[in-house]
Amino acid sequence: MVYRFIMNTAFSGVPRLRSLILFCFAAASICRPAVADFNPQRIGFTTIQPTSYADWPTAFLAGNGKIGIMVLGKPRNEIVVFNDRGFNLSNGTVRSFDQVRAADLETIRNDCAAGNFAEADKLAATAPHYKGGGDGSRHPGYGMFITIPPAGEVHDYLRTCDFRTGEITVKWTDDRGDWIRKAFVSRKDNVDVQLLTAPTKGSLTCSIRLDTDPGMGLPKDMQFASTASPDVLTIRAKYKPKLDVGYEGVTRVVVSGGTCSVDGSTLNVADARSVLLISRTAKYFDHCEDQWNKEEIQKDLATLPANYDALFKAHVAVHEPIYDRVKIDLGASPEERAKTNEDLLAEQKTSDVPVPALWERIFDAGRYYFLSASSDQTPPDLLGMWNGDCRAGWGGFYHLDANLNLQVGGGNIGDMPEAMEGYFKTNEAWRADFETNARKLLGCRGMVAAGNTPGPQSGLISGISEFYPYQYATGEEDWLLYPFWEHYLITGDQEFLRNRLYPLLKDMGEFYEDFLVKEDANGKYILAGSVSPENQPSNLKVSLVNNSVFDLSGARFALTTLIQTCNILGLDQGPGGDVEKWTKILNKLPPYRINNDGALQEWAWDSLDDPGYGHRHSSHLLPAWPYREITPESDPVLYKAALTALAKKDEHLIGAGHGILHDGFIAAVLKNDESVRNKIMRLTKEDFYFYSLFSSHNAKHDIFCADTCNAVPGIMMEMLVSSEPGRLEFLPALPLELAKGSISGVKGRCRVTVENLTWDKSAHTASSVIRSNIDQSITLIERDGIDGIKTDATVSDSPFGPIARVIQLKAGVSTPVTLELGKLRPHLTNLALHQPATASSDDGKNLATAVTDDDIGTRWSSKNADDQWIYVDLGSVQKIAKVRLDWETSAGKDYDIEVSDDGQSWTTVKSVTDNAKTGWLDYPDLNTSGRYVRINCKTRITNYGFSLWEIQVFGF
């Protein structure tokens, strides 16, 4: 097979790698049956070697959601870090808080209703007498250190990860020939498997030991003991001397040929053909020494076949079918797909348009990391499940007000129910503690979520303070329940709805019965005690207030969904029944509000002013995503207000990955293709991705974190396929530059699978095959307009006009549908690209022509004086919709954007005053025309000249 040839050939650097992959494309045209499943963009690879343990964030990763490994990839001094879902530092304490007195709860409610928020906040923070505790930071378990004697210089280094199979390889060449190591984590057998093989010109000699590295930052009072024999390596750890909580790692060793000897805890192998290493880890929450002595892991490992290929085949049979259900093709060339991860990332940094091969690969990598960090028991945490340093950001916990919700955003529509099962079980496991939170902290039945937690074993509230009165973040659990409802919308599984979601929703119905007791002057309920995560009104600087949209939209979702669920299942019906009661509560919830900017307001309360738009949470836009309560068709006024709120946020460079990601999901649902594009461009240009295509929390590789890599595939699916009951929309937020491509396997929230969608915007076509699992009518939408449609199904016009058609689908029938697209939605083009530019002056080095060269590393800089200008000649009079300016640090403070037909007489279309921002600034909705566009620079924000990296002019 050509595919196996790629994975098993020792590459000679990047050129040889590219030629091999190109060879496979040529071979595929000759021997198609043998390579029918080969898809080169589903492999990640790098030629960069790590130099020390400090490079652990760049490791290649494998896992099954329960156990995992991080392969640093050092050729002759390898370190493989072992991770386990149970690895959290333990100290023997538990989180605790008191039952808040009813009188205190009443005082807090009354103070909030009266607008005495500071007083309410102080009492809410002190009344519970909160005490921290519980498991601490996630940590690495230990390392496997593999040492090979040197023999000449290492060259032709390559590290790969096949996302379809989860196999990691490390390849290099030295004086002994070509080397290869392989590793994967089995979903079938729950083991880490590694194969070390002899070089092509000699035998394998190495030493192997299980140990820790100082860079892991493990507590000094942790106790470790390692042992070695020719057949088994073990390491055992105890967290504290007096705490009987610990863990162990066991490796079964199978040596083919050669000899073995033991030196203390190190196994020495000489002159072997291969070494097979089969490992498993486990944490014991009590009586750890008794568990060690049972040697259950050793017994289980002994039952597995001592054959790498057999173990790998069993794993691939489980992993690959799940992974392969959704595939994307964004039109990258074979040459682009043959580039290393680092080459693609570098290319994106210098390009102002998407690099399709990189976007394909981060999609593929993200699905791989999400699946590899998920099991049927748990979802990914902040770290996915990997960590090389126990001093993880925010403990590496599950964070429930944004991060976890974002990471699972593509799990249902990406057809990974096996991964989502762990999410569902974990939320169900938290239920009892969430009920304790509600009862003790708010005096209510139902549930209040935890804020953050180390795992499913603890759902008690994570912290209470005046800035974080998170017992009043009552919308948190509602957001966590949305994926349950989404699963039902996709599958129609009424057993799941009845037995798993309904009990949780009913909990929330009872919560709102007890919690909503105060009314405003209009007879609407007051969420008296309400939080918008990490935000405070700008005029109060108090966290505990009323009617945050975070909490309000959550209540609206939970009650609406509970009522729908009861109606579907025939539960809680009849006069005076629960459904009637919940409907009355729903109808008394306050409406959303629109602020003076025309944006959706963060708090639906008169005296509260929105904070600045530059904060990292977008909690007030939950009605757009995930709830889809606000759409162009359902409420055009609120839809415009949500778009305005997003546009205001887009004027700021939010630093946290989760903030960019949430806005990316929101932009996709709001059909804002440019906003989606800019979010993914930021993530790929600003070093949110390591060379493994795992990700960081912030730019510049700051804080190892799974948010970005796990969430981006969900955003991409949403930009290509949007859905809700009875509706399916193609290409709602497709970036302009991705004019051709395809995606397959996306699940719709209308019980429809998009088996394939292929688009060509230049030809104005979109072809698809869709399959419904029930007989139904679906409204199919494409906002360019549908000029024509070809399908075997019955088609009729839609009340939505030329953007939609109603299609009759039969259960289980794959229905081809080809759309001839119209031009209702304008597609903007950068009219300034490579056009001539002229300036009043320059500094002698940075010339005017740099602003249109599509190179963000070159710029124009004027002389050090006010009153300068630069203009672009578009070649002819053009319709102009928008101008984008990329200011260098020496930006303009006051300037005008002007247009002219003749280059002599200028008309001002936008005046900017008191600008203090650098970087990209957008000026949309100009609706003007002209041949020349001038930036008339009046005053500077520095003592240097005006300096622009790029000027972009978008028109039709």
Side-chain angles (χ1 to χ4, degrees):
M1 297 287 187
V2 174
Y3 170 72
R4 297 306 303 167
F5 175 67
I6 280 186
M7 297 309 296
N8 291 313
T9 300
F11 298 100
S12 297
V14 177
R16 187 173 171 188
L17 171 63
R18 291 175 182 166
S19 63
L20 268 169
I21 294 182
L22 291 173
F23 165 79
C24 291
F25 277 97
S29 65
I30 299 170
C31 43
R32 177 81 54 188
V35 293
D37 293 331
F38 177 66
N39 195 343
Q41 75 255 43
R42 300 165 93 74
I43 300 172
F45 40 94
T46 180
T47 58
I48 295 177
Q49 298 181 46
T51 59
S52 68
Y53 185 78
D55 292 328
W56 68 262
T58 68
F60 274 27
L61 315 175
N64 62 12
K66 299 174 183 176
I67 60 176
I69 54 174
M70 307 176 71
V71 178
L72 265 70
K74 299 177 70 177
R76 297 189 296 219
N77 291 285
E78 176 66 293
I79 305 173
V80 177
V81 181
F82 284 75
N83 301 109
D84 190 294
R85 177 62 69 199
F87 287 173
N88 282 83
L89 297 176
S90 297
N91 58 22
T93 64
V94 296
R95 296 179 179 180
S96 66
F97 44 86
D98 294 343
Q99 176 77 51
V100 178
R101 298 186 309 128
D104 288 338
L105 292 172
E106 182 66 15
T107 298
I108 293 168
R109 284 194 293 265
N110 289 337
D111 279 344
C112 284
N116 300 322
F117 299 122
E119 291 84 350
D121 200 4
K122 290 177 182 177
L123 184 56
T126 57
H129 301 104
Y130 176 83
K131 295 180 181 178
D135 279 351
S137 178
R138 290 194 54 72
H139 67 86
Y142 58 93
M144 176 182 287
F145 295 77
I146 303 171
T147 303
I148 297 172
E153 292 186 3
V154 169
H155 55 94
D156 298 340
Y157 174 85
L158 180 70
R159 191 168 19 140
T160 72
C161 181
D162 186 335
F163 303 135
R164 296 182 71 190
T165 65
E167 185 178 47
I168 298 169
T169 64
V170 181
K171 306 175 184 181
W172 74 96
T173 300
D174 63 15
D175 291 352
R176 288 164 294 200
D178 299 332
W179 291 82
I180 182 170
R181 282 200 299 267
K182 303 178 184 180
F184 69 94
V185 176
S186 175
R187 296 193 77 86
K188 168 66 167 57
D189 296 308
N190 192 35
V191 287
D192 307 301
V193 184
Q194 299 176 74
L195 180 65
L196 319 181
T197 55
T200 54
K201 298 180 182 179
S203 58
L204 172 64
T205 295
C206 66
S207 65
I208 308 169
R209 75 181 195 279
L210 305 183
D211 204 345
T212 63
D213 187 278
M216 294 177 177
L218 293 161
K220 294 180 179 179
D221 57 352
M222 283 187 70
Q223 300 174 330
F224 291 90
S226 299
T227 63
S229 75
D231 301 315
V232 177
L233 301 171
T234 67
I235 186 169
R236 292 169 173 175
K238 199 171 185 181
Y239 287 99
K240 289 180 178 293
K242 296 182 179 179
L243 185 66
D244 202 9
V245 178
Y247 61 90
E248 68 177 329
V250 180
T251 296
R252 177 186 171 192
V253 182
V254 181
V255 177
S256 176
T259 60
C260 297
S261 62
V262 174
D263 181 6
S265 59
T266 299
L267 173 64
N268 296 309
V269 178
D271 299 322
R273 291 189 300 272
S274 66
V275 177
L276 177 65
L277 305 165
I278 308 172
S279 306
R280 185 177 293 163
T281 56
K283 181 175 178 177
Y284 306 115
F285 291 89
D286 54 12
H287 305 297
C288 66
E289 294 186 17
D290 292 340
Q291 298 293 336
W292 295 339
N293 293 334
K294 292 179 181 178
E295 296 192 345
E296 296 292 345
I297 295 179
Q298 287 88 332
K299 296 172 186 175
D300 287 345
L301 295 182
T303 66
L304 296 175
N307 184 291
Y308 180 90
D309 288 340
L311 292 167
F312 183 60
K313 182 178 179 180
H315 158 70
V316 171
V318 181
H319 173 99
E320 189 169 353
I322 302 171
Y323 180 81
D324 260 355
R325 289 182 191 137
V326 177
K327 301 177 183 179
I328 199 169
D329 183 331
L330 297 176
S333 68
E335 292 81 4
E336 285 290 303
R337 289 175 183 162
K339 293 181 179 179
T340 63
N341 296 350
E342 59 268 21
D343 283 348
L344 291 176
L345 288 166
E347 183 177 338
Q348 186 65 88
K349 280 188 176 184
T350 59
S351 175
D352 209 37
V353 298
V355 173
L358 177 62
W359 286 42
E360 290 173 349
R361 199 170 296 172
I362 61 174
F363 181 92
D364 294 334
R367 279 181 61 80
Y368 169 74
Y369 287 127
F370 177 67
L371 176 60
S372 299
S374 302
S375 73
D376 60 357
Q377 300 298 315
T378 53
D381 54 36
L382 275 186
L383 303 166
M385 69 164 300
W386 302 276
N387 188 18
D389 181 348
C390 72
R391 296 159 291 204
W394 302 278
F397 287 178
Y398 293 99
H399 281 243
L400 310 182
D401 60 3
N403 307 75
L404 176 58
N405 317 62
L406 294 167
Q407 288 196 38
V408 303
N412 285 322
I413 60 176
D415 199 9
M416 285 190 175
E418 297 87 349
M420 292 302 297
E421 177 61 20
Y423 177 86
F424 300 141
K425 281 184 179 174
T426 296
N427 204 290
E428 291 166 329
W430 285 328
R431 182 182 178 185
D433 282 349
F434 285 4
E435 289 175 339
T436 298
N437 296 337
R439 183 181 70 255
K440 293 181 68 173
L441 297 171
L442 298 183
C444 299
R445 295 170 295 164
M447 291 186 285
V448 169
N452 66 65
T453 172
Q457 68 274 14
S458 176
L460 296 177
I461 200 82
S462 61
I464 298 174
S465 66
E466 288 185 38
F467 186 73
Y468 288 108
Y470 267 16
Q471 72 271 40
Y472 283 92
T474 56
E476 192 170 82
E477 172 62 1
D478 303 317
W479 191 1
L480 291 170
L481 291 181
Y482 176 79
F484 285 76
W485 178 240
E486 185 179 57
H487 175 83
Y488 168 72
L489 294 179
I490 287 170
T491 64
D493 185 345
Q494 291 198 11
E495 181 179 355
F496 179 91
L497 186 67
R498 180 186 299 272
N499 297 328
R500 303 189 71 175
L501 178 53
Y502 167 70
L504 302 174
L505 285 172
K506 188 167 185 178
D507 249 13
M508 296 312 301
E510 292 173 347
F511 172 79
Y512 289 114
E513 288 178 43
D514 295 350
F515 183 70
L516 296 173
V517 294
K518 294 292 182 181
E519 297 182 12
D520 63 20
N522 298 315
K524 297 293 186 180
Y525 282 125
I526 305 170
L527 281 78
S530 182
V531 171
S532 198
E534 297 187 10
N535 286 326
Q536 299 175 328
S538 59
N539 59 327
L540 286 180
K541 300 300 181 184
V542 174
S543 295
L544 187 64
V545 290
N546 295 334
N547 293 5
S548 77
V549 171
F550 177 80
D551 294 330
L552 176 56
S553 63
R556 196 180 302 278
F557 162 74
L559 291 167
T560 299
T561 307
L562 174 58
I563 293 164
Q564 289 179 328
T565 297
C566 289
N567 291 338
I568 292 166
L569 300 175
L571 301 173
D572 304 319
Q573 307 289 314
D578 286 337
V579 168
E580 182 177 303
K581 177 171 48 180
W582 294 325
T583 301
K584 289 179 179 178
I585 296 173
L586 176 63
N587 291 336
K588 287 181 65 174
L589 291 176
Y592 302 124
R593 299 189 180 192
I594 298 173
N595 66 20
N596 292 333
D597 294 327
L600 190 67
Q601 190 166 309
E602 192 151 350
W603 291 276
W605 191 255
D606 277 338
S607 64
L608 305 178
D609 292 340
D610 280 348
Y613 294 100
H615 52 81
R616 65 185 188 174
H617 282 266
S618 297
S619 304
H620 59 304
L621 288 170
L622 262 65
W625 188 88
Y627 299 140
R628 286 175 170 74
E629 184 183 352
I630 297 176
T631 68
E633 288 72 38
S634 66
D635 194 323
V637 174
L638 284 178
Y639 173 72
K640 183 178 180 181
L643 273 175
T644 300
L646 178 65
K648 292 290 185 182
K649 288 185 68 63
D650 282 354
E651 293 176 2
H652 302 268
L653 293 179
I654 297 169
H658 71 76
I660 300 171
L661 296 163
H662 194 183
D663 286 348
F665 274 113
I666 292 163
V669 170
L670 294 178
K671 330 298 179 188
N672 189 329
D673 56 308
E674 186 173 344
S675 185
V676 171
R677 170 198 182 278
N678 291 344
K679 303 296 179 299
I680 300 177
M681 289 288 281
R682 281 199 62 201
L683 295 169
T684 51
K685 290 168 78 75
E686 297 180 12
D687 288 333
F688 279 89
Y689 282 97
F690 297 103
Y691 292 141
S692 64
L693 300 185
F694 197 80
S695 55
S696 59
H697 184 276
N698 302 319
K700 299 181 180 179
H701 298 150
D702 181 31
I703 306 176
F704 190 81
C705 179
D707 288 353
T708 292
C709 61
N710 284 354
V712 160
I715 296 173
M716 289 188 178
M717 285 184 275
E718 291 282 15
M719 82 184 189
L720 299 175
V721 178
S722 180
S723 61
E724 55 187 292
R727 296 183 194 174
L728 188 66
E729 182 169 351
F730 290 161
L731 312 178
L734 176 69
L736 174 67
E737 298 88 349
L738 302 177
K740 292 183 179 181
S742 66
I743 191 168
S744 60
V746 176
K747 292 289 186 178
R749 301 172 191 86
C750 49
R751 301 181 69 175
V752 171
T753 300
V754 179
E755 294 185 329
N756 182 264
L757 169 63
T758 300
W759 67 90
D760 184 342
K761 284 301 186 81
S762 61
H764 302 288
T765 60
S767 300
S768 66
V769 178
I770 56 179
R771 186 186 75 251
S772 173
N773 63 7
I774 56 171
D775 290 347
Q776 63 171 322
S777 296
I778 285 289
T779 298
L780 182 62
I781 298 174
E782 215 294 342
R783 293 184 188 271
D784 286 346
I786 301 174
D787 286 354
I789 184 168
K790 294 180 181 179
T791 180
D792 296 335
T794 301
V795 179
S796 57
D797 290 339
S798 165
F800 297 153
I803 66 169
R805 297 289 192 277
V806 177
I807 302 179
Q808 303 291 326
L809 298 178
K810 296 292 185 181
V813 176
S814 296
T815 304
V817 180
T818 298
L819 304 180
E820 180 185 346
L821 304 182
K823 299 179 182 179
L824 294 178
R825 180 173 53 173
H827 292 278
L828 302 181
T829 301
N830 180 13
L831 305 172
L833 185 61
H834 302 309
Q835 294 296 111
T838 305
S840 57
S841 68
D842 59 59
D843 64 3
K845 296 184 297 182
N846 300 294
L847 308 181
T849 52
V851 299
T852 60
D853 64 0
D854 194 32
D855 184 347
I856 59 173
T858 62
R859 61 188 173 95
W860 162 70
S861 182
S862 76
K863 65 181 181 181
N864 298 345
D866 288 338
D867 298 320
Q868 303 295 308
W869 49 259
I870 183 170
Y871 69 76
V872 178
D873 180 357
L874 304 180
S876 61
V877 174
Q878 303 283 344
K879 293 181 179 179
I880 297 168
K882 183 177 79 169
V883 170
R884 297 184 78 209
L885 304 178
D886 188 4
W887 284 107
E888 198 253 353
T889 305
S890 302
K893 178 183 179 184
D894 303 302
Y895 52 91
D896 293 335
I897 301 174
E898 302 171 336
V899 296
S900 173
D901 290 345
D902 57 11
Q904 301 297 320
S905 177
W906 298 92
T907 300
T908 299
V909 293
K910 179 71 176 180
S911 290
V912 179
T913 58
D914 291 324
N915 172 55
K917 299 175 184 176
T918 60
W920 284 109
L921 299 180
D922 284 1
Y923 300 100
D925 303 324
L926 296 181
N927 298 321
T928 188
S929 64
R931 173 173 173 171
Y932 303 90
V933 177
R934 183 168 75 172
I935 313 304
N936 190 15
C937 307
K938 299 176 181 179
T939 59
R940 299 161 288 162
I941 64 173
T942 73
N943 291 326
Y944 297 99
F946 298 95
S947 186
L948 279 162
W949 296 105
E950 288 285 311
I951 296 175
Q952 296 180 342
V953 179
F954 290 92
F956 306 113

